[in-house]
Structure formats: C-alpha cells, structure tokens
Amino acid sequence: MSKAQPHIRSITEVPRVGQSSDDLIQGIQRHFLRTLGLSEACISDHYKYQALALTIRDRLMENWRDTKEAVQETNGKRTYYLSLEFLIGRALGNAILNLGLNEQTTKALHDLGINCEEMIEAEHDAGLGNGGLGRLAACFIDSCATLQLPVTGYGIRYEYGMFRQSIVNGFQQEAPDHWLREGNIWEMERPEYTQAVHFGGYSETYHDDNGNMRLRWVNTNDVLAVPFDTPIPGYKNGTVNTLRLWKSTATDEFDLGEFNAGDYAGSVAQKNNAEHISMVLYPNDSNENGKELRLRQQYFLASASIKDVIRQWVEVNGEDFTHFAAKNCFQLNDTHPTVSVAELMRILMDDYWLTWDDAWEITQNTMAYTNHTLLPEALERWPVHLFSRLLPRVLDIIYEINARFLQDLAKKYPGDVARQRRMSIIEESDVQQVRMAYLAIVGSFSINGVAQLHSDLLAEGLFNDFYQLWPEKFNNKTNGVTQRRWMAWCNKPLSKLITTHIGDGWITQLDELKQLAPLADKPAFRKQWAACKLENKERLSAVVKDVCGVAFSPTAMFDIQVKRIHEYKRQLLNVLHVIHLYDRIKRGDTDNWTNRCVLIGGKAAPGYYMAKQIIKLVSNVADVVNSDPDVGDKLKMVFFPNYRVSAMEVIAPAADLSEQISTAGKEASGTGNMKFMMNGALTIGTLDGANIEIREEVGDKNFFLFGLTAEEVEASRGNYNPNTIIEADDDFKRVMNLIECGHFSQFEPGLFTSITGAIRCNDDPWLTAADFRSYIEAQQKASMAYQDKEQWTKMSIYNTAYSGKFSTDRTMHDYNRDIWKLKPVKPQTS
Ligand SMILES: *Cc1c(COP(=O)(O)O)cnc(C)c1O
C-alpha cells in the first residue's frame, strides 16, 4: 500500500490514532500528565485547552504526513499562495469540525467535566492580517484543502499580530497583540528548511567556468528565514495542507570587526535587526508607504518562499528547469509579494545560470497576480533609492525587465511616448518609484480582480493600457468565504436545522442550500428558522452586555456594520442614519416604529485620523442614545471593541441587517457581506463589489438597494455640492445641526468639525451626502419589512438559500480551472 522507504514504512505501521470519545479522553489525560507534565493541582483552562488541542493535533498529524507523501508521489503541478497576511483566527474548533470529531469531542469533554465553550475561548486568535485580504487568504487555504488541491500558503510568522483595540473615553487605543506568549500548539518549527535571505551589498560581474560574463550579488547582509508549518485540514477528506510561515532570525556570523575590537555585546546586539523583520504586522488596511521595514518584509517572504520551492524542485529534478513552469504556480495576494517576479529571475539566472529569455519564459508562466483595490492611493510604489540600497541586484533585474518591456511597447505603439511613460514600471517623478502593480502585471500570465464590477473597472480604468495590450491576461474571480467556519462552525443552531431538512451536503456543496427556498413557504420551518436567529441574537446580546455594558433586546432588529474603519466604507453614513432615528424619536415621530440595535465595530489604522474620529463619533452618539430615557428600547447603539475573526463568529449569525454601504466603485468585493448573507441577514447596500452579485443571486426583492452607481459617482466629480443637498433636506439639516451644535460633544467643543467639514466638502470623494436620502429611504423600507415577521423570515431564508455562489470552494474551483490547472491529490489512508 505505501511505497515509502522501509524505515518510513515501519513508522506508518504504528497503529493509527483512534477517533472515539474514549480515545480522545485517553489522549487528553496522556497529554495533560505526560506532554505537559501536570497534576490535578494545576488544572486551568489554559492547560485543559492545551491538552485538548494536542489531542486533536495528533489526529491531524497522520493525515498531514499522508498528504505530503501523496503530493510528492503524484509529482503533479502545485500552487503557492503568497500573502503577507493570513487572518486565521482560532484553529481548534475548525480542526474538530473538519476532522469530523464534533460529537466525540463534545462527549469526551462532557465526561471529563470540561466546559467546551471555555476551551474554545482559551485559544488566542491568530490575527496575522488586517481584514478582508488576510481573511480571504485563510478561507482560500481552507477550501483548497477541502478540494484536495496541492496548494501551500506562504506568509510571515509575525511575533505581534493585528493590535488589540480598546475604547477609552470613546477613543481607540492600541495594545500590542503578543499572540504567541502562551505558546502555539498548531505550529511546527522546521529548522532543516531554513533559508538565507540577502540584503544590502552590491552586484558585480564575473566570468563563469565557460568564460561567460555573469552577475552576482555580493557582500550581502544575510537574514535567516526559519519556517513554521501549520496544518490546514480539509473537510472530512483525509487531506491536510500546509501553511508555511517564516520567522526571521540572525545568522551565526558576527561582525568580526566589532567582535575583535572587543565589543562582543555590541556585535551580538546588531543581530536584533534581523529579528525585527518578522516582529510586527503593519496595521494599515490599504497601504504602508515607503517604510523600509515593510519592503524588507516583502522581500523576506518572496525570497524565502521561492528558494523553498526551488529547493524542493532541485531535490526531485536536479537543475533542469525545463518543466518548472508546467509544475509550479505562484499566486500573488495583491502587490505585496510582487518582488517575487524579480527574485525568481535572479535565482534562475544567478544561481542556476539560465539565460534571460529562459528565466523570463518561466517567470511569466508561473506568476499570477490578484488585485484587491481600486483606490489609487493604495497602489504600492517603492522609491528606487530604497530598492537600490536594500536590494541592488533585484533592482538591476527590475530595470532590465522594464527596459525590455518598453522596447516591446515601442515596437507595438511606435512613437507613442506618452503611453510608454504611463506604462513604465519605473515612475519618473522627482523621486523615481517602482510601480509594483505594473511589475506584477508585466511578470504574470493572469491578472484578476475579486468581483465582477471590480474586474471590469480594472480593465476599463486603472489598468486599461495593460488591458489593451494583453486582454487575455485579465479575468475575474469573485471572492467567497468558507462555509465551514462561517456557517457550520459558528452557527450551530442554523446548521443543525438546515442539515435536518436537506442533509449535510451543503458543507462541501454550498449550492445545495437552494433546496431551502421552497421550505420558506412552510410556516413550521419559518418558525424554526426564526428560533435559530433568536438564539443567536441572545448569544450576541450576552456578549454585547458583557463588553459594552448595553442591553440589546433580541426582539429588536440587529443592524450590524463590522469591517475596518475607513471613509470609503462609510460608517459615517450609518451614524447619520442613527442620529436621524434619534431625532425622530425626540420629535415624537415614532408611529409604526421598529426597534433597532445598531452595532458598529472595526479597527482604524493607528495613523488614520479621520477613521479614529469616526470611532469617537460612534461612541459619543451611542452614549447619548443609550442614556436617553425617551429612547428606551426603540434604539440602542454600541461600538463593539476589538473586532476580529472570533468576534465575527458570534456577530454574523445574529445579524438581521447587514450594512454594506461603501461608495460605489470603491469596495473591490467585500467578504463580510457574504458571511452575513449565508447566515440569513438581509443586506442594505450599494451597487458595489460583490453586493451586485449578492443581489443578482437573491433577487431585488430580498435586498435593500440604495445610492449612486459607480458610473454616477464618477460623473459627479467636479459638480458635487453637499451643502445644497443638506439645505434641501430637512431631516439631513437637523442631523447635521445636532452634530454641529455639539449635542454629541457637550464637554468636547468642536470635536467633530473635521467630520462635518468632510461631509460638507465639495471634494468629498466618498459622497456621503449624495447618498443620504436614498439610504434613509432604504432603511425605512427595511424597518417596515421587519414588522412583517413571516415575510422577513422568508427573505432571510432566501438569503441563505441563494448564497451558494459565495463559497470559496467555488472561488478556488474557478482559480483552478482558469489559472492553476491542478489535479486534486487524494492521500492514501489506511
Ligand atoms: C470578513 C472579515 C473582514 C472583511 O470584512 P469586509 O466587510 O469585507 O470589509 C474583516 N475582518 C474580519 C475579522 C473578518 O472576519
């Protein structure tokens, strides 16, 4: 059965670990006593969690080894997902679910008198990402494992993940997230695969043994990249893929000069610089401009990962790269890892002596680039002088790529110098810059956006020159989320109900949810559906009471907006609506009132002043609303602190209304919108990103649409006059007046002038005022719809029923069909 080496086979013949609840109990006891060396005196949640996690991990290990062996034996094509962020969250519950150990674990813990909930809560979120982009990477690798695609994730093992947010006097405060302090059961250090990454030095020419002139990078300062592997289990299929995260560490070489001069401590301390590379995740959602350490991180990831892939290639194939492109694909998650294009060229030419043309052919056929943003300010550019100091040899190659590209352009568009300037990878401004997106486009065979509108806008706008040149490279891959974490794991009541009625096929075939649609007509089913929602709302209410001290009544409409705080996402518009509702209550306009609980959450980049002001406004409005006896249960609002993956697992199942209200044309896709839809929330949203596709799937009647279209947003530039809009709208005028007269800043005069100023500014890029009236009307429709409980529940069921498209299983299937072309690999299990 196994074709492995004799000594390996003897390991394979060790009996496989049992899956019964008794086996789990034994495992937990054994780890508690022997792995952790504890006695009954030191029982704590933390140690109980560790013993349980180790027991579950044992069950992953064999599948992990089997998967690696199967992938090696198959020797087929593989994909490497390169991402500076993987926003994983917690691993324990997901592992239990995917291993099919839910019932056994529940029983084992019950028999041992251990509280399951406390075990889950004992795990720290792995917050190695900012928001949507990082969470997407996490959902992707989950789906790849479930589809049994040989895909490895490569990222950075940040010592400090996304900061912890607390709210002090209404303001955001950041605290470092030292997530590894209590250890991380899920990672395995693999020092044997350590790679050296070069920085600094210079490039020089030399002659090889055959007298050919070559270039090499010398006198470098090297940093070691040590891999830590995390198992990524597929759903009940025996597959466990790998997420490989690199930690930076110093080489063993000392600065001999200083060492000999007697400064031993000083020369050891210098090693700190190397360790810094993987120290901290940059907490900026869009882009970190010009920070040297960030460029070091990018190159560190790119170089270590490519060297790791080449190491594996050479082990099997020797130094023959003829079929490398047919067997390997790198998917670049945004431009962050784009320096990979030049790094692969460098290694193939400098280390393996391929010609430029051969290396370029390979590079162009292995790299694929995913764009994540239309905001021009978020497009990465790096100063050439920084590259030249940090990565001189890599810059040589980027220059050469650009020179050859510009030559091709000159042939294709003779005399069109303007076009060449526009498309050049090197921007000629006062400080020369490397345009990373252009490097990615020129170096890749596939360029995709993440929702249909976004992909269309890329081709028409931002990348139009490149689209004209290479239309065949451009494609769309609409994002998704994994229904394993975002329904099966986090919404147990609903999952159970769905499975009772249509079976559990939806856990791997989300389209099967459409079988729920006819059930929406059955009153008994609706009643059960509404009961699930109520149970989830009660769970969230308890958390809100605990962390915000505010009582959310589970019978009110739960109106939720959680996502990074950014002006384009327009949390401001949401607040304006809340103030409008408050104003209506105060003036007694409450006929046919629908009680609402509004929850807003999300982190602001620490240096983003306006985003932090918006948090303060939410907090202050919440304080006024929640403490006004006239308001009572009609309206409640909280700012939910420290929004993260594990928080979303409680929030999404409890939502009635999902706020997806970005300025049209600005949100590339959104994925929060999909999590809410799956869990039966109705969306109030603009025609932006994947909202368009959500509305297409669920139908206009089951979606609250408002606002300008992306085209209208573009057209309004230059003739936008918010003050005229405000003056013409009594409700809007009153809302602005409440803020401007200091109603929400009684003891902090002038606090919100920057916010009201931004709304009133003719250049407001987010057109908040333009969409106010249509937003208020859509909200009123939602309020009215909520009063018809039966109809609302029907619409809720339809949202879940038609969410099948938004599984990352579908997304990964599409990437694989159009870009990667991998064959699934099934591990042989005994
Ligand atoms: C899904 C998710 C996001 C992305 O939300 P959007 O609404 O698409 O911006 C961000 N952060 C966390 C923790 C998430 O789970």
Side-chain angles (χ1 to χ4, degrees), residues 87 130-132 135 486 562-564 569 643-645 648 660 667 670-673 675:
L87 188 46
N130 275 281
R135 183 54 231 176
W486 296 114
V562 283
K563 47 182 76 249
R564 288 301 292 255
K569 291 176 181 280
Y643 174 58
R644 61 201 184 282
V645 171
M648 186 55 159
Q660 308 300 336
E667 185 76 270
T671 51
N673 47 5
K675 298 168 203 165

PDB file of all heavy atoms in Angstrom, residues 87 130-132 135 486 562-564 569 643-645 648 660 667 670-673 675, ligand 1:
ATOM      1  N   LEU A  87      -5.292  35.824   7.995  1.00  0.00           N
ATOM      2  CA  LEU A  87      -6.100  36.143   9.181  1.00  0.00           C
ATOM      3  C   LEU A  87      -6.887  34.896   9.565  1.00  0.00           C
ATOM      4  O   LEU A  87      -8.051  34.734   9.189  1.00  0.00           O
ATOM      5  CB  LEU A  87      -7.013  37.329   8.864  1.00  0.00           C
ATOM      6  CG  LEU A  87      -7.815  37.965   9.998  1.00  0.00           C
ATOM      7  CD1 LEU A  87      -6.972  38.208  11.231  1.00  0.00           C
ATOM      8  CD2 LEU A  87      -8.429  39.274   9.521  1.00  0.00           C
ATOM      9  N   ASN A 130      -4.988  42.175   8.501  1.00  0.00           N
ATOM     10  CA  ASN A 130      -5.737  43.385   8.810  1.00  0.00           C
ATOM     11  C   ASN A 130      -7.242  43.203   8.723  1.00  0.00           C
ATOM     12  O   ASN A 130      -7.982  43.658   9.577  1.00  0.00           O
ATOM     13  CB  ASN A 130      -5.330  44.496   7.834  1.00  0.00           C
ATOM     14  CG  ASN A 130      -4.102  45.232   8.304  1.00  0.00           C
ATOM     15  OD1 ASN A 130      -4.196  46.081   9.180  1.00  0.00           O
ATOM     16  ND2 ASN A 130      -2.960  44.901   7.749  1.00  0.00           N
ATOM     17  N   GLY A 131      -7.675  42.577   7.628  1.00  0.00           N
ATOM     18  CA  GLY A 131      -9.113  42.499   7.376  1.00  0.00           C
ATOM     19  C   GLY A 131      -9.396  41.557   6.221  1.00  0.00           C
ATOM     20  O   GLY A 131      -8.878  40.432   6.178  1.00  0.00           O
ATOM     21  N   GLY A 132     -10.172  42.029   5.263  1.00  0.00           N
ATOM     22  CA  GLY A 132     -10.666  41.185   4.181  1.00  0.00           C
ATOM     23  C   GLY A 132      -9.590  40.423   3.420  1.00  0.00           C
ATOM     24  O   GLY A 132      -9.741  39.225   3.174  1.00  0.00           O
ATOM     25  N   ARG A 135      -8.176  37.640   5.613  1.00  0.00           N
ATOM     26  CA  ARG A 135      -9.183  36.615   5.878  1.00  0.00           C
ATOM     27  C   ARG A 135      -9.444  35.811   4.600  1.00  0.00           C
ATOM     28  O   ARG A 135      -9.686  34.612   4.640  1.00  0.00           O
ATOM     29  CB  ARG A 135     -10.466  37.253   6.416  1.00  0.00           C
ATOM     30  CG  ARG A 135     -11.554  36.282   6.802  1.00  0.00           C
ATOM     31  CD  ARG A 135     -11.099  35.202   7.793  1.00  0.00           C
ATOM     32  NE  ARG A 135     -11.448  33.881   7.315  1.00  0.00           N
ATOM     33  CZ  ARG A 135     -11.114  32.733   7.910  1.00  0.00           C
ATOM     34  NH1 ARG A 135     -10.414  32.711   9.037  1.00  0.00           N
ATOM     35  NH2 ARG A 135     -11.464  31.588   7.390  1.00  0.00           N
ATOM     36  N   TRP A 486     -17.761  29.749   8.561  1.00  0.00           N
ATOM     37  CA  TRP A 486     -18.726  30.847   8.655  1.00  0.00           C
ATOM     38  C   TRP A 486     -20.184  30.411   8.721  1.00  0.00           C
ATOM     39  O   TRP A 486     -21.074  31.239   8.785  1.00  0.00           O
ATOM     40  CB  TRP A 486     -18.487  31.863   7.528  1.00  0.00           C
ATOM     41  CG  TRP A 486     -17.141  32.511   7.682  1.00  0.00           C
ATOM     42  CD1 TRP A 486     -16.066  32.404   6.845  1.00  0.00           C
ATOM     43  CD2 TRP A 486     -16.701  33.361   8.771  1.00  0.00           C
ATOM     44  NE1 TRP A 486     -14.997  33.122   7.339  1.00  0.00           N
ATOM     45  CE2 TRP A 486     -15.364  33.711   8.517  1.00  0.00           C
ATOM     46  CE3 TRP A 486     -17.312  33.834   9.932  1.00  0.00           C
ATOM     47  CZ2 TRP A 486     -14.619  34.534   9.384  1.00  0.00           C
ATOM     48  CZ3 TRP A 486     -16.586  34.644  10.795  1.00  0.00           C
ATOM     49  CH2 TRP A 486     -15.255  34.993  10.519  1.00  0.00           C
ATOM     50  N   VAL A 562     -19.713  45.680  10.640  1.00  0.00           N
ATOM     51  CA  VAL A 562     -18.378  45.384  11.174  1.00  0.00           C
ATOM     52  C   VAL A 562     -17.417  45.203  10.011  1.00  0.00           C
ATOM     53  O   VAL A 562     -17.671  44.436   9.099  1.00  0.00           O
ATOM     54  CB  VAL A 562     -18.367  44.122  12.073  1.00  0.00           C
ATOM     55  CG1 VAL A 562     -18.947  44.431  13.445  1.00  0.00           C
ATOM     56  CG2 VAL A 562     -19.109  42.972  11.427  1.00  0.00           C
ATOM     57  N   LYS A 563     -16.313  45.907  10.049  1.00  0.00           N
ATOM     58  CA  LYS A 563     -15.299  45.901   8.999  1.00  0.00           C
ATOM     59  C   LYS A 563     -14.275  46.945   9.398  1.00  0.00           C
ATOM     60  O   LYS A 563     -14.507  47.704  10.346  1.00  0.00           O
ATOM     61  CB  LYS A 563     -15.913  46.240   7.636  1.00  0.00           C
ATOM     62  CG  LYS A 563     -16.837  47.466   7.685  1.00  0.00           C
ATOM     63  CD  LYS A 563     -17.476  47.773   6.335  1.00  0.00           C
ATOM     64  CE  LYS A 563     -18.608  46.847   5.952  1.00  0.00           C
ATOM     65  NZ  LYS A 563     -18.295  45.974   4.832  1.00  0.00           N
ATOM     66  N   ARG A 564     -13.120  47.002   8.729  1.00  0.00           N
ATOM     67  CA  ARG A 564     -12.164  48.055   9.034  1.00  0.00           C
ATOM     68  C   ARG A 564     -12.852  49.419   8.938  1.00  0.00           C
ATOM     69  O   ARG A 564     -13.756  49.614   8.114  1.00  0.00           O
ATOM     70  CB  ARG A 564     -10.970  47.997   8.067  1.00  0.00           C
ATOM     71  CG  ARG A 564     -10.046  46.823   8.318  1.00  0.00           C
ATOM     72  CD  ARG A 564      -9.483  46.841   9.722  1.00  0.00           C
ATOM     73  NE  ARG A 564      -8.575  47.945   9.902  1.00  0.00           N
ATOM     74  CZ  ARG A 564      -7.253  47.843   9.958  1.00  0.00           C
ATOM     75  NH1 ARG A 564      -6.683  46.658   9.877  1.00  0.00           N
ATOM     76  NH2 ARG A 564      -6.495  48.907  10.132  1.00  0.00           N
ATOM     77  N   LYS A 569     -15.800  53.063   3.325  1.00  0.00           N
ATOM     78  CA  LYS A 569     -16.803  52.101   3.786  1.00  0.00           C
ATOM     79  C   LYS A 569     -18.009  52.802   4.430  1.00  0.00           C
ATOM     80  O   LYS A 569     -19.036  52.195   4.686  1.00  0.00           O
ATOM     81  CB  LYS A 569     -16.173  51.109   4.763  1.00  0.00           C
ATOM     82  CG  LYS A 569     -15.163  50.155   4.099  1.00  0.00           C
ATOM     83  CD  LYS A 569     -14.494  49.260   5.137  1.00  0.00           C
ATOM     84  CE  LYS A 569     -13.464  48.306   4.564  1.00  0.00           C
ATOM     85  NZ  LYS A 569     -14.047  47.090   3.945  1.00  0.00           N
ATOM     86  N   TYR A 643     -12.880  44.176  17.134  1.00  0.00           N
ATOM     87  CA  TYR A 643     -13.454  43.304  16.101  1.00  0.00           C
ATOM     88  C   TYR A 643     -12.359  42.425  15.499  1.00  0.00           C
ATOM     89  O   TYR A 643     -11.280  42.892  15.152  1.00  0.00           O
ATOM     90  CB  TYR A 643     -14.110  44.163  15.014  1.00  0.00           C
ATOM     91  CG  TYR A 643     -14.603  43.347  13.844  1.00  0.00           C
ATOM     92  CD1 TYR A 643     -15.521  42.329  14.029  1.00  0.00           C
ATOM     93  CD2 TYR A 643     -14.114  43.582  12.549  1.00  0.00           C
ATOM     94  CE1 TYR A 643     -15.963  41.570  12.962  1.00  0.00           C
ATOM     95  CE2 TYR A 643     -14.552  42.837  11.483  1.00  0.00           C
ATOM     96  CZ  TYR A 643     -15.472  41.825  11.687  1.00  0.00           C
ATOM     97  OH  TYR A 643     -15.891  41.075  10.633  1.00  0.00           O
ATOM     98  N   ARG A 644     -12.644  41.139  15.412  1.00  0.00           N
ATOM     99  CA  ARG A 644     -11.659  40.157  14.938  1.00  0.00           C
ATOM    100  C   ARG A 644     -12.419  38.913  14.485  1.00  0.00           C
ATOM    101  O   ARG A 644     -13.655  38.882  14.597  1.00  0.00           O
ATOM    102  CB  ARG A 644     -10.680  39.819  16.071  1.00  0.00           C
ATOM    103  CG  ARG A 644     -11.346  39.192  17.295  1.00  0.00           C
ATOM    104  CD  ARG A 644     -10.479  39.349  18.539  1.00  0.00           C
ATOM    105  NE  ARG A 644     -11.046  38.665  19.703  1.00  0.00           N
ATOM    106  CZ  ARG A 644     -12.047  39.128  20.438  1.00  0.00           C
ATOM    107  NH1 ARG A 644     -12.642  40.268  20.121  1.00  0.00           N
ATOM    108  NH2 ARG A 644     -12.493  38.448  21.475  1.00  0.00           N
ATOM    109  N   VAL A 645     -11.718  37.893  14.020  1.00  0.00           N
ATOM    110  CA  VAL A 645     -12.383  36.713  13.469  1.00  0.00           C
ATOM    111  C   VAL A 645     -13.307  36.066  14.499  1.00  0.00           C
ATOM    112  O   VAL A 645     -14.474  35.777  14.221  1.00  0.00           O
ATOM    113  CB  VAL A 645     -11.351  35.687  12.938  1.00  0.00           C
ATOM    114  CG1 VAL A 645     -12.033  34.370  12.572  1.00  0.00           C
ATOM    115  CG2 VAL A 645     -10.631  36.257  11.718  1.00  0.00           C
ATOM    116  N   MET A 648     -16.452  37.948  14.911  1.00  0.00           N
ATOM    117  CA  MET A 648     -17.369  37.798  13.782  1.00  0.00           C
ATOM    118  C   MET A 648     -18.115  36.465  13.855  1.00  0.00           C
ATOM    119  O   MET A 648     -19.258  36.357  13.390  1.00  0.00           O
ATOM    120  CB  MET A 648     -16.601  37.916  12.455  1.00  0.00           C
ATOM    121  CG  MET A 648     -17.478  37.919  11.218  1.00  0.00           C
ATOM    122  SD  MET A 648     -18.790  39.191  11.217  1.00  0.00           S
ATOM    123  CE  MET A 648     -19.136  39.315   9.451  1.00  0.00           C
ATOM    124  N   GLN A 660     -23.680  47.208   4.046  1.00  0.00           N
ATOM    125  CA  GLN A 660     -22.620  47.136   3.023  1.00  0.00           C
ATOM    126  C   GLN A 660     -22.749  48.379   2.153  1.00  0.00           C
ATOM    127  O   GLN A 660     -23.218  48.323   1.028  1.00  0.00           O
ATOM    128  CB  GLN A 660     -22.758  45.835   2.214  1.00  0.00           C
ATOM    129  CG  GLN A 660     -22.841  44.579   3.071  1.00  0.00           C
ATOM    130  CD  GLN A 660     -21.612  44.361   3.952  1.00  0.00           C
ATOM    131  OE1 GLN A 660     -20.507  44.852   3.648  1.00  0.00           O
ATOM    132  NE2 GLN A 660     -21.773  43.630   5.043  1.00  0.00           N
ATOM    133  N   GLU A 667     -15.282  49.581  -3.048  1.00  0.00           N
ATOM    134  CA  GLU A 667     -15.047  48.301  -2.365  1.00  0.00           C
ATOM    135  C   GLU A 667     -14.813  47.247  -3.432  1.00  0.00           C
ATOM    136  O   GLU A 667     -15.711  46.951  -4.225  1.00  0.00           O
ATOM    137  CB  GLU A 667     -16.267  47.931  -1.518  1.00  0.00           C
ATOM    138  CG  GLU A 667     -16.096  46.687  -0.663  1.00  0.00           C
ATOM    139  CD  GLU A 667     -15.243  46.934   0.580  1.00  0.00           C
ATOM    140  OE1 GLU A 667     -14.008  46.765   0.486  1.00  0.00           O
ATOM    141  OE2 GLU A 667     -15.801  47.302   1.631  1.00  0.00           O
ATOM    142  N   GLY A 670     -15.549  42.869  -0.931  1.00  0.00           N
ATOM    143  CA  GLY A 670     -16.191  42.636   0.357  1.00  0.00           C
ATOM    144  C   GLY A 670     -16.357  41.139   0.530  1.00  0.00           C
ATOM    145  O   GLY A 670     -16.567  40.396  -0.451  1.00  0.00           O
ATOM    146  N   THR A 671     -16.200  40.676   1.755  1.00  0.00           N
ATOM    147  CA  THR A 671     -16.486  39.278   2.069  1.00  0.00           C
ATOM    148  C   THR A 671     -17.361  39.198   3.321  1.00  0.00           C
ATOM    149  O   THR A 671     -18.068  38.199   3.511  1.00  0.00           O
ATOM    150  CB  THR A 671     -15.191  38.465   2.308  1.00  0.00           C
ATOM    151  OG1 THR A 671     -14.372  39.160   3.252  1.00  0.00           O
ATOM    152  CG2 THR A 671     -14.437  38.271   1.009  1.00  0.00           C
ATOM    153  N   GLY A 672     -17.323  40.253   4.124  1.00  0.00           N
ATOM    154  CA  GLY A 672     -18.232  40.319   5.268  1.00  0.00           C
ATOM    155  C   GLY A 672     -19.665  40.205   4.765  1.00  0.00           C
ATOM    156  O   GLY A 672     -20.494  39.490   5.354  1.00  0.00           O
ATOM    157  N   ASN A 673     -19.949  40.881   3.654  1.00  0.00           N
ATOM    158  CA  ASN A 673     -21.284  40.811   3.056  1.00  0.00           C
ATOM    159  C   ASN A 673     -21.736  39.358   2.822  1.00  0.00           C
ATOM    160  O   ASN A 673     -22.898  39.008   3.039  1.00  0.00           O
ATOM    161  CB  ASN A 673     -21.327  41.641   1.753  1.00  0.00           C
ATOM    162  CG  ASN A 673     -20.135  41.380   0.827  1.00  0.00           C
ATOM    163  OD1 ASN A 673     -19.301  40.514   1.105  1.00  0.00           O
ATOM    164  ND2 ASN A 673     -20.058  42.137  -0.256  1.00  0.00           N
ATOM    165  N   LYS A 675     -20.576  36.558   4.453  1.00  0.00           N
ATOM    166  CA  LYS A 675     -20.789  35.848   5.724  1.00  0.00           C
ATOM    167  C   LYS A 675     -22.182  36.151   6.273  1.00  0.00           C
ATOM    168  O   LYS A 675     -22.882  35.261   6.753  1.00  0.00           O
ATOM    169  CB  LYS A 675     -19.739  36.274   6.758  1.00  0.00           C
ATOM    170  CG  LYS A 675     -18.309  35.941   6.366  1.00  0.00           C
ATOM    171  CD  LYS A 675     -17.317  36.663   7.294  1.00  0.00           C
ATOM    172  CE  LYS A 675     -15.967  36.809   6.630  1.00  0.00           C
ATOM    173  NZ  LYS A 675     -15.094  37.795   7.321  1.00  0.00           N
TER     174      LYS A 675
HETATM  175  C1  LIG B   1     -14.664  39.004   6.874  1.00  0.00           C
HETATM  176  C2  LIG B   1     -13.818  39.865   7.710  1.00  0.00           C
HETATM  177  C3  LIG B   1     -13.364  41.097   7.225  1.00  0.00           C
HETATM  178  C4  LIG B   1     -13.767  41.644   5.879  1.00  0.00           C
HETATM  179  O1  LIG B   1     -14.958  42.379   6.020  1.00  0.00           O
HETATM  180  P1  LIG B   1     -15.478  43.380   4.863  1.00  0.00           P
HETATM  181  O2  LIG B   1     -16.833  43.744   5.331  1.00  0.00           O
HETATM  182  O3  LIG B   1     -15.499  42.591   3.604  1.00  0.00           O
HETATM  183  O4  LIG B   1     -14.530  44.516   4.837  1.00  0.00           O
HETATM  184  C5  LIG B   1     -12.565  41.865   8.038  1.00  0.00           C
HETATM  185  N1  LIG B   1     -12.210  41.450   9.271  1.00  0.00           N
HETATM  186  C6  LIG B   1     -12.641  40.283   9.779  1.00  0.00           C
HETATM  187  C7  LIG B   1     -12.233  39.882  11.158  1.00  0.00           C
HETATM  188  C8  LIG B   1     -13.444  39.441   9.019  1.00  0.00           C
HETATM  189  O5  LIG B   1     -13.842  38.265   9.520  1.00  0.00           O
END
